[in-house]
Amino acid sequence: MLRASISLLALPLLWAGTVTAQTALPSSFNKAKLDSLLTVLDAKHKLAGSLQLTQNGQVVYSRAIGPEQPNVPATTATRYRIGSISKTFTATIIMQLVEEGKLKLNAPIATWFPDLPNASTITVDQLLHHRSGLGDFTRDPAYVQYMTQPKTQAELLALIRARPVEFEPGARYDYNNSNYVLLGYVVEKVTRQPYAQALQKRITGKLGLKNTYYGGRLNSQQHEAASFVWDGATWQIQRETDMSIPGGAGAITSTPADLTRFLEGLFAGKLVKPATLQQMQVMQDGYGVGMRIVPFGNQQSYGHFGSIDGYRSALTYFPADKLTVAYCGNGSSPDYTLSDLLVGTLSIYFNKPYRLPDFNAPKIEAADLTALVGNYASTQMPLKINVTANGTTLMAQATGQSAFPLTAKSRTTFVYDAAGLTMEFDAAARTFMLHQGANHFLFTRQ
């Protein structure tokens, strides 16, 4: 379902003094290490998809792994459904229409959808920022029953109208696919063109994106990827959402190469004026106009994530480094996520401490972790670390930071590869040693 499309990439750094901001040059990028990461992910069936990095408009890395279709390997030309990255395209078209004076951000949606709840008070701007309060039709339990069947605009409007209102317009943020489905319809009504034609005229045609378009039924002859999940033995093909449903919220098909050109074109002023781009980057509760801030350590980028069926995608741009990262995926496994891939990719690109994941870790039972959990403190650094167990996974959470999972190297040694951390426990002494780079800290359970 589209609802799962947003997750923030945040790298937990236990000790800020050990990491500094760094502007990477292409010559410092360890391509062989990133290749090794994708090789192990491919060999262990952790992800299937295509990754591209560009720096200052030049491709510095491009590789595809896994299947395109059953028994057909993916290539860098494989086309993928990108899910909610479509929202960035839709938001860009809306802002073009605002620039042209054909649309106002404060226009009430009653102009086009008078029968929707609160239509006279919900504005286009609130749709863009997910602040409309409308119910999300993809949260309806019945969604999974009809998602593979075509729906008309009238049918989808009826589904949105039937959902309970979540809050008064503008009261708060709530990520919601109904908002961008409606914005896709606004594009059609204002331009008097189908969304697919408006997309081609206003974005893909301008930038020469020949592999980006409004999707339809999957066409293997056009190198469109099916989506899969690894079941422990084979890649299992997933159900296919009918593209009449996600519309402007998630119906676009693309490639990492085209996605990088799109975001570079947007930030280069080829699609909207600089003042409009700045307006799109202003965050309200963490969400701007079709984009959000994606932090990595001390660095900041702007982009979006996507999820539909078995597809997972990410697109983000670091203005200070002129670095664009695009990933289109069509296969995943339960124990390795898109965020894991991005942390590894960015750590390697920016030359941060990072160990390649080891999927041959020893088998850990829940009972093995009991003696390790507790609150730990150190006389050598101000942070405290709370160690907990989630089933057979050991979790760590530093003061003021989010919890993150640790990977077992043995029954007493655990690592967090994304931050280059190793924690060596001595259950009898009620301590662990924390190693990060050249730093070593002793923590004692309180």
Side-chain angles (χ1 to χ4, degrees), residues 52-172:
Q52 179 167 298
L53 281 68
T54 62
Q55 205 278 333
N56 201 22
Q58 300 298 311
V59 177
V60 295
Y61 189 84
S62 181
R63 183 177 173 186
I65 59 174
E68 174 180 289
Q69 292 281 342
N71 303 313
V72 178
T75 72
T76 54
T78 298
R79 298 162 171 175
Y80 302 82
R81 291 184 174 180
I82 63 172
S84 287
I85 294 177
S86 304
K87 292 180 172 69
T88 309
F89 286 82
T90 299
T92 300
I93 296 173
I94 290 290
M95 297 307 288
Q96 289 175 337
L97 295 172
V98 171
E99 285 185 348
E100 295 164 13
K102 297 177 181 177
L103 182 64
K104 293 185 181 298
L105 290 175
N106 63 0
I109 66 170
T111 307
W112 310 281
F113 318 111
D115 295 334
L116 291 182
N118 294 325
S120 62
T121 51
I122 295 172
T123 66
V124 170
D125 188 68
Q126 288 166 347
L127 294 180
L128 287 166
H129 288 93
H130 294 295
R131 304 179 73 87
S132 71
L134 291 170
D136 189 337
F137 72 96
T138 65
R139 298 178 195 172
D140 186 344
Y143 176 77
V144 296
Q145 299 172 15
Y146 68 74
M147 55 182 272
T148 61
Q149 304 302 315
K151 290 289 182 184
T152 65
Q153 183 177 134
E155 289 172 327
L156 281 167
L157 288 173
L159 289 168
I160 295 171
R161 184 167 57 247
R163 295 296 296 163
V165 171
E166 301 287 344
F167 50 86
E168 288 301 306
R172 61 183 175 87

Side-chain angles (χ1 to χ4, degrees), residues 205-259:
K206 284 185 175 182
L207 299 178
L209 308 182
K210 299 184 183 301
N211 296 305
T212 302
Y213 46 87
Y214 191 106
R217 297 294 296 177
L218 286 176
N219 185 344
S220 61
Q221 299 302 311
Q222 297 296 320
H223 296 289
E224 293 179 354
S227 71
F228 304 87
V229 66
W230 183 256
D231 68 357
T234 186
W235 286 111
Q236 292 289 335
I237 200 162
Q238 298 298 287
R239 299 171 72 198
E240 178 185 339
T241 297
D242 190 272
M243 292 292 95
S244 64
I245 295 174
I252 292 177
T253 293
S254 190
T255 65
D258 268 15
L259 289 180

Side-chain angles (χ1 to χ4, degrees), residues 163-222:
R163 295 296 296 163
V165 171
E166 301 287 344
F167 50 86
E168 288 301 306
R172 61 183 175 87
Y173 162 85
D174 181 45
Y175 185 82
N176 180 335
N177 291 292
S178 295
N179 294 324
Y180 273 76
V181 167
L182 293 175
L183 287 169
Y185 295 159
V186 171
V187 167
E188 293 185 331
K189 292 176 183 299
V190 174
T191 64
R192 299 182 180 180
Q193 292 180 312
Y195 183 97
Q197 289 184 19
L199 175 68
Q200 197 283 327
K201 177 181 178 181
R202 292 176 166 274
I203 295 180
T204 62
K206 284 185 175 182
L207 299 178
L209 308 182
K210 299 184 183 301
N211 296 305
T212 302
Y213 46 87
Y214 191 106
R217 297 294 296 177
L218 286 176
N219 185 344
S220 61
Q221 299 302 311
Q222 297 296 320

